[in-house]
Amino acid sequence: MSRRLNRFTRTVYNFLTPAGVSPAVVHRWTSGARRRLGLTGRIAVTIAPPAISQQWNKRYRRRARPTNVLSFDYVHDRPRGAARHILDGEVLLCPVVIRREARQQGQTYRARLKMLLAHGLIHLRGLDHQTSADQRRWARFERRLS
């Protein structure tokens, strides 16, 4: 099931606020997850403050609060015949929300951030977790990343 990453595979990192870990760590986590998921294409990983997370969450999910992670699958969501985007997908992470959730759940911030980055990348792989069947398939992909 593993696909080789091709020469068009690229990750762009946008640090709009401090991530709480070094960019090298975020890059290492992303590269490893992409490889294990067989995720090709051009992806952006954006680390954003709550104001931007809230703005995107309101615009795209109609929820007026910042959220931990948002994924945008530009390939599968593109209307047929539409021009290609520069990116194939994007994962937006909000460290402030993630740090709060980690405290509430008794996790380390690092572990929660890594898990949510993987969560966003699994969405870009085309998976969801709405039904029981989706959740079982999702769990298989999560095991690949642990």
Side-chain angles (χ1 to χ4, degrees):
M1 172 126 186
S2 176
R3 294 183 297 200
R4 291 190 62 163
L5 300 183
N6 63 39
R7 63 190 171 109
F8 299 108
T9 299
R10 180 173 169 217
T11 306
V12 175
Y13 299 92
N14 303 303
F15 289 83
L16 307 179
T17 193
V21 297
S22 73
V25 167
V26 175
H27 173 72
R28 188 174 66 244
W29 290 345
T30 304
S31 297
R34 286 185 68 147
R35 191 172 43 257
R36 287 188 297 280
L37 291 171
L39 191 58
T40 62
R42 297 159 304 216
I43 295 173
V45 174
T46 300
I47 308 296
I52 291 175
S53 175
Q54 180 173 336
Q55 180 182 21
W56 285 28
N57 200 25
K58 184 176 182 180
R59 180 173 182 184
Y60 296 106
R61 297 179 67 223
R62 292 178 174 74
R63 296 183 181 164
R65 59 178 163 69
T67 189
N68 53 15
V69 62
L70 292 168
S71 294
F72 300 93
D73 182 347
Y74 300 134
V75 172
H76 294 101
D77 293 339
R78 183 181 307 134
R80 189 174 290 275
R84 279 189 59 84
H85 286 72
I86 294 171
L87 293 171
D88 295 324
E90 186 164 5
V91 175
L92 180 132
L93 298 156
C94 182
V96 170
V97 174
I98 295 168
R99 191 169 272 110
R100 182 180 65 234
E101 290 175 349
R103 273 193 309 270
Q104 291 169 347
Q105 297 174 12
Q107 292 180 303
T108 67
Y109 167 73
R110 246 178 110 92
R112 183 89 180 137
L113 179 64
K114 183 178 182 183
M115 189 276 298
L116 288 169
L117 174 60
H119 184 97
L121 292 170
I122 293 171
H123 273 301
L124 294 186
R125 184 71 168 72
L127 275 74
D128 210 340
H129 44 75
Q130 299 302 315
T131 67
S132 294
D134 288 343
Q135 290 169 7
R136 285 190 299 275
R137 190 167 181 225
W138 187 276
R140 286 194 303 272
F141 277 87
E142 281 185 328
R143 282 192 297 273
R144 284 186 189 176
L145 300 179
S146 56

